[in-house]
Amino acid sequence: MVVINSHKDIEALTLTFEAEFGAPVERVWRVWSDPRRLERWWGPPGWPATFERHDFTVGGRSAYYMSGPEGEKYHGWWKITALTPPTGLEFEDGFADDAGQPIEAMGATRTSVTLSPAGGGTRVVSVTTFASVEQLEKLSEMGIEDGLRRAMGQIEAVLADD
């Protein structure tokens, strides 16, 4: 089983995903901490991610791009704000230009990820918080919900190859 629940809360400015994976917490943690594993699922199918940088430390930054089927490249960044290995991480996430610089007009989101044992596997709860209703609506129109659901749907295959 992968994504078992998702919920958009306009009042709280959040998008929450709950997923379960048939692997222990330590293995699921590696799909976030190891950039080669992370890039196998971070983009939705057909839009693979390439992490050019992944400094997985508090205050560390990541730089990545997703490649589209027509050769498009969309850049993004993370700033790690908290780590509690192997059960939690928090990061800011945003869009970047071709040089990797944040696109301020798009703003940033904050994501908190919690991993916990569940029935012999791992439950992952990811809560993304938006800066405003307008940002939440704009990213929803861009397909963030479907994209995250489809991206997380690829984690099980990464774990199977582990």
Side-chain angles (χ1 to χ4, degrees):
M1 183 178 291
V2 183
V3 175
I4 57 173
N5 188 31
S6 66
H7 177 70
K8 179 168 63 173
D9 185 333
I10 302 245
E11 289 182 17
L13 300 176
T14 59
L15 178 59
T16 302
F17 280 89
E18 294 178 58
E20 289 187 357
F21 302 99
V25 169
E26 292 77 15
R27 278 187 45 217
V28 177
W29 176 256
R30 289 195 299 258
V31 304
W32 293 93
S33 64
D34 178 344
R36 302 297 72 90
R37 287 179 176 97
L38 180 59
E39 63 191 9
R40 291 182 54 203
W41 72 269
W42 182 246
W47 289 83
T50 300
F51 275 76
E52 300 173 302
R53 176 181 177 182
H54 189 52
D55 181 3
F56 201 64
T57 59
V58 174
R61 296 189 176 268
S62 298
Y64 67 93
Y65 60 88
M66 291 187 286
S67 301
E70 310 273 327
E72 319 88 320
K73 283 188 179 180
Y74 293 98
H75 294 262
W77 60 269
W78 286 7
K79 179 182 177 189
I80 308 296
T81 56
L83 290 173
T84 52
T87 60
L89 67 139
E90 294 179 17
F91 58 94
E92 295 175 1
D93 182 20
F95 293 92
D97 61 22
D98 290 345
Q101 296 302 310
I103 299 174
E104 299 297 329
M106 294 296 290
T109 60
R110 290 177 291 119
T111 299
S112 173
V113 180
T114 304
L115 293 77
S116 58
T122 301
R123 175 177 287 245
V124 175
V125 177
S126 171
V127 180
T128 300
T129 303
F130 299 83
S132 66
V133 171
E134 294 78 21
Q135 182 191 40
L136 188 151
E137 289 175 349
K138 180 173 185 142
L139 292 177
S140 289
E141 288 171 10
M142 293 172 68
I144 190 171
E145 293 171 75
D146 183 55
L148 282 171
R149 177 181 297 280
R150 292 177 43 206
M152 290 181 82
Q154 301 173 114
I155 292 175
E156 200 70 55
V158 176
L159 293 168
D161 290 344
D162 220 4

